[in-house]
Amino acid sequence: MKELLIVIPAYNEAPNIVRVVENLIEHYPQYDYVVVNDGSVDKTAAICKEKGYHLLDLPINLGLAGAFQAGLKYAYRRGYRYVVQYDGDGQHRAEYIEVMLKTAKEGYDVVIGSRFAQKKKPFSPRMLGSRVISSMVRLASGTRIQDVTSGMRLFGARMIRILALNMNYGPEPDTISYLIKCGAKVKEVQVEMDERTAGESYLNFARSMVYMVQMIVSILFIQAFRKKDLDF
Amino acid sequence: MSVVLRVVLIAASLFTTLYIMKRIRNSKAQIEDSIFWILLALMLIVISIFPGIPVAITGLLGIMAPVNFLFLFMIFVLLVKIFSMSLKVSALETRLKNLTQEIAIRNKEEDEHEENNEK
């Protein structure tokens, strides 16, 4: 068993999943991976089974947080030291896992694969949302995270245990903010991401608004009142 | 709106907010579920601090007293909330049913698999 597990939550990723997983198997044999099929209605699970991929097949759809947590539980049980949250649609590039892992080994609990650690954030509606959440996180935790909505994150062993076993630790900016306040060490590493090649983005305008309100209320109010009792 | 009503509103909304926060603190409620209640409590606080808002809407709708408007509004909000919860419960029941059936089927498949291996 390797020390790092790549968790790939996949919901209706049939057009992408083969390309994503084959790339990992072929070029990155130093890492383990597991696909978490989040109750897809397309052939994602069938394809993975046919190809013999490592697969956690959730019988119902739990959403990203629940699917990723399934992967974390698997990692915790098997005793992996690091987990990478990795997109099933091919946006993330595995070449950056190496530098993220190296950073984690320098003593960081959470390493964020950041599009804007060194590069400037462009002005677009989507990035406006990112800016707002970023400043909320800064307000609440005192730490500036440039790419807080990045979906590519690496978690260390003590984070894996906490995220796997407790509720309200979805892989979202509010959890990052809370973890910082609890004393977790978070670091951003510059990465590049590809545009998604197939399938539709989950976020449309209405959902983005709901997401923004949820994040703002959660970061400013809920996480502020949450007990800081992580036993690191 | 009378001063007493405002004080009661402020106290009630503060109490509600604190209670919700306490439950979340002890990891009893999911964040997604708490957000509705926190926004509602915040709105109550705003209304009780600025009674001009409900008074203006009351006049606009031709309702006799602001308190009547508050009742109407609250009942409406709660109705919508109950409806959405009812939908959520239905979805939950369906998921539970699917999950149970899925486990049973997978167990059966596993048994058959083992039997085949023994042969």
Side-chain angles (χ1 to χ4, degrees), chain A residues 93 96-97 99-100 112-117 119 147 150 152 189-193:
Chain A
R93 295 213 202 146
Y96 293 107
I97 293 176
V99 59
M100 289 170 73
I112 299 173
S114 167
R115 287 159 288 181
F116 317 115
K119 291 181 185 166
D147 195 2
S150 161
M152 190 181 187
V189 168
Q190 178 69 42
V191 303
E192 271 173 59
M193 287 187 194

Side-chain angles (χ1 to χ4, degrees), chain A residues 49 57-62 167-168 174 213-215 217-218 221-223 225-227, chain B residues 18 21 24-32 34-35 38-39 42 95 98-99 102 106:
Chain A
K49 274 180 199 157
D57 188 17
L58 306 184
I60 53 173
N61 177 258
L62 291 183
M167 75 188 283
N168 289 337
D174 55 340
V213 171
Q214 276 194 3
M215 279 303 132
V217 173
S218 176
F221 291 91
I222 298 175
Q223 310 295 357
F225 285 82
R226 241 170 116 175
K227 240 187 231 168
Chain B
L18 287 178
M21 293 300 187
I24 301 167
R25 229 178 122 76
N26 301 327
S27 292
K28 290 284 183 333
Q30 286 189 36
I31 289 171
E32 294 83 8
S34 337
I35 283 171
I38 287 171
L39 288 179
L42 284 181
R95 287 154 68 95
N98 286 344
L99 202 52
E102 183 74 31
R106 286 191 189 188

Side-chain angles (χ1 to χ4, degrees), chain A residues 46-73:
Chain A
I47 291 171
C48 290
K49 274 180 199 157
E50 190 198 314
K51 299 258 184 189
Y53 296 159
H54 298 291
L55 172 72
L56 292 182
D57 188 17
L58 306 184
I60 53 173
N61 177 258
L62 291 183
L64 175 65
F68 181 58
Q69 197 183 33
L72 283 166
K73 278 187 176 155

Side-chain angles (χ1 to χ4, degrees), chain B residues 57-77:
Chain B
I57 303 174
T58 306
L60 217 63
L61 296 178
I63 298 170
M64 295 290 279
V67 72
N68 285 349
F69 165 71
L70 274 187
F71 282 145
L72 184 71
F73 181 69
M74 279 315 185
I75 289 173
F76 178 70
V77 169

Side-chain angles (χ1 to χ4, degrees), chain A residues 19 180 196 200 212:
Chain A
R19 184 168 48 85
I180 295 173
R196 49 185 302 133
E200 253 176 73
M212 286 295 294

Side-chain angles (χ1 to χ4, degrees), chain A residues 4-123:
Chain A
L4 184 141
L5 177 74
I6 301 171
V7 174
I8 313 165
Y11 178 64
N12 292 347
E13 296 288 6
N16 299 306
I17 198 70
V18 172
R19 184 168 48 85
V20 170
V21 177
E22 288 295 340
N23 175 42
L24 291 177
I25 294 174
E26 201 174 315
H27 301 292
Y28 303 95
Q30 67 269 41
Y31 312 127
D32 281 344
Y33 72 89
V34 65
V35 178
V36 184
N37 171 43
D38 189 15
S40 300
V41 290
D42 68 359
K43 289 195 167 147
T44 306
I47 291 171
C48 290
K49 274 180 199 157
E50 190 198 314
K51 299 258 184 189
Y53 296 159
H54 298 291
L55 172 72
L56 292 182
D57 188 17
L58 306 184
I60 53 173
N61 177 258
L62 291 183
L64 175 65
F68 181 58
Q69 197 183 33
L72 283 166
K73 278 187 176 155
Y74 175 76
Y76 178 62
R77 272 207 201 174
R78 307 280 300 251
Y80 284 96
R81 307 217 19 231
Y82 302 96
V83 163
V84 170
Q85 182 188 348
Y86 195 79
D87 228 74
D89 65 7
Q91 282 189 78
H92 299 160
R93 295 213 202 146
E95 65 207 70
Y96 293 107
I97 293 176
E98 192 184 341
V99 59
M100 289 170 73
L101 181 60
K102 216 180 115 217
T103 310
K105 283 181 175 169
E106 286 165 13
Y108 289 97
D109 299 299
V110 182
V111 181
I112 299 173
S114 167
R115 287 159 288 181
F116 317 115
Q118 277 127 44
K119 291 181 185 166
K120 257 188 90 84
K121 211 179 270 192
F123 281 93

Side-chain angles (χ1 to χ4, degrees), chain B residues 10-54:
Chain B
I10 295 176
S13 38
L14 281 179
F15 177 77
T16 316
T17 315
L18 287 178
Y19 179 71
I20 295 164
M21 293 300 187
K22 195 168 166 260
R23 302 303 280 188
I24 301 167
R25 229 178 122 76
N26 301 327
S27 292
K28 290 284 183 333
Q30 286 189 36
I31 289 171
E32 294 83 8
D33 297 326
S34 337
I35 283 171
F36 167 83
W37 298 107
I38 287 171
L39 288 179
L40 189 74
L42 284 181
M43 200 194 59
L44 275 182
I45 295 175
V46 169
I47 286 180
S48 41
I49 294 175
F50 304 103
I53 301 169

